[in-house]
Amino acid sequence: MRRYSACIEWLFAEEGDSFPDRIRRAHAACLTAIEFWRWTGKDLDAIEAALKETDLAVSSLVAEPMIALTDAANRQAWLKGLAESVSVAKRLGAPVLIAQAGDNLPGLTREEQRRALTETLRAGADILKGSGVRLGVEPLNIRIDHVGYFLDSTREGLDIIDDVARPEIGIVYDIYHSAVMDERTEEVLNGRLDRIIHVHVADHPGRNEPGSGGIELARRLGWIFANGYDGAVGLEYRPTRPGADAVKAAIASLGG
């Protein structure tokens, strides 16, 4: 049975509400998991209490600080933050932390930036080892949402993961970002699906709910599951309609 995770940065969000309220709404909508981005600045005690109250799982959160991993000068600060992020992930029961590579840096070649990224991830694996938490690096599209981002190719992301060669490090595969970059899921993931530790979905155009645009999300997701993926699917989209029924309809459009 597929496991869907509501990104409560966007879903079940109402003006002036709290994250614990969003967790309760996700539970009322029969979701079994939630995810969110930054953990700093949030009331972790209240979030933890709401999770225990509802018995919801946390599928992922962001590894902080969100600084360029392509800059070797950031390595020690990021590794320190990663250790703190691992502690939060363990506290909340989240098996996945998500990292972004950062933007292209002026004055550094692509080869230099890739080397810095690879070495930083390898060092991060030492912090993750034995924790039960894995880190997923996320390729993003540079055509709409993340102009100037370093890692816009799923294939290159997978190549970097192969260079890191540590089981603690994998890829977050966002079907929306991949489709915007004209990638075909079955081509870029063929033979390397085991490197994928989390999946995100949204439709295009608009990055709205599944079924609102032109991406064949059900087909792509079906291929991913048919070929052995057994992780969670993060519903990371901007809803055009509020409420539980809209989320349930989005899930139904993905194949349930």
Side-chain angles (χ1 to χ4, degrees):
M1 184 159 177
R2 296 181 184 180
R3 292 181 289 122
Y4 290 98
S5 170
C7 177
I8 58 173
E9 300 285 351
W10 284 334
L11 297 185
F12 303 109
E14 296 181 8
E15 186 175 354
D17 70 356
S18 67
F19 265 60
D21 289 337
R22 300 178 194 187
I23 292 169
R24 295 181 183 99
R25 288 190 205 106
H27 175 257
C30 300
L31 271 293
T32 59
I34 57 97
E35 58 188 82
F36 54 91
W37 299 334
R38 296 176 187 266
W39 55 267
T40 55
K42 291 183 171 68
D43 187 340
L44 295 179
D45 289 339
I47 288 173
E48 186 176 26
L51 291 170
K52 289 179 179 178
E53 172 191 326
T54 59
D55 199 30
L56 257 64
V58 178
S59 65
S60 71
L61 55 142
V62 167
E64 296 191 62
M66 294 183 70
I67 53 180
L69 308 189
T70 47
D71 187 346
N74 287 336
R75 184 170 301 147
Q76 293 309 312
W78 185 77
L79 292 173
K80 180 178 182 294
L82 176 62
E84 295 170 350
S85 297
V86 169
S87 294
V88 173
K90 290 175 67 176
R91 173 181 175 182
L92 300 181
V96 174
L97 287 168
I98 298 177
Q100 295 183 356
D103 288 349
N104 273 304
L105 301 174
L108 294 177
T109 67
R110 189 162 188 87
E111 181 180 351
E112 289 171 327
Q113 293 180 75
R114 177 164 166 167
R115 185 184 311 118
L117 173 59
T118 301
E119 292 174 355
T120 297
L121 292 173
R122 194 174 289 131
D126 290 335
I127 293 172
L128 292 156
K129 185 177 180 179
S131 68
V133 180
R134 300 178 72 194
L135 182 81
V137 183
E138 189 171 22
L140 304 172
N141 83 78
I142 59 172
R143 294 177 175 171
I144 300 173
D145 302 276
H146 299 277
V147 176
Y149 186 69
F150 176 82
L151 188 60
D152 64 344
S153 163
T154 298
R155 278 197 179 95
E156 184 175 13
L158 290 166
D159 290 344
I160 290 169
I161 297 310
D162 287 348
D163 289 343
V164 173
R166 292 287 299 268
E168 296 87 358
I169 310 294
I171 285 288
V172 174
Y173 181 65
D174 190 311
I175 298 177
Y176 163 78
H177 289 301
S178 183
V180 170
M181 296 305 295
D182 295 325
E183 294 180 345
R184 291 175 57 84
T185 297
E186 59 271 30
E187 290 179 358
V188 296
L189 299 187
N190 188 37
R192 299 205 280 183
L193 196 64
D194 60 325
R195 282 77 156 177
I196 307 303
I197 64 174
H198 194 58
V199 170
H200 280 154
V201 294
D203 219 329
H204 176 64
R207 202 175 179 182
N208 302 130
E209 56 264 41
S212 66
I215 302 177
E216 295 175 306
L217 290 170
R219 181 189 63 78
R220 291 179 186 242
L221 200 56
W223 183 91
I224 289 172
F225 277 105
N227 283 273
Y229 179 72
D230 62 357
V233 177
L235 304 171
E236 191 186 47
Y237 61 83
R238 299 184 182 95
T240 60
R241 295 183 295 138
D245 288 345
V247 176
K248 291 176 181 178
I251 292 173
S253 78
L254 295 170

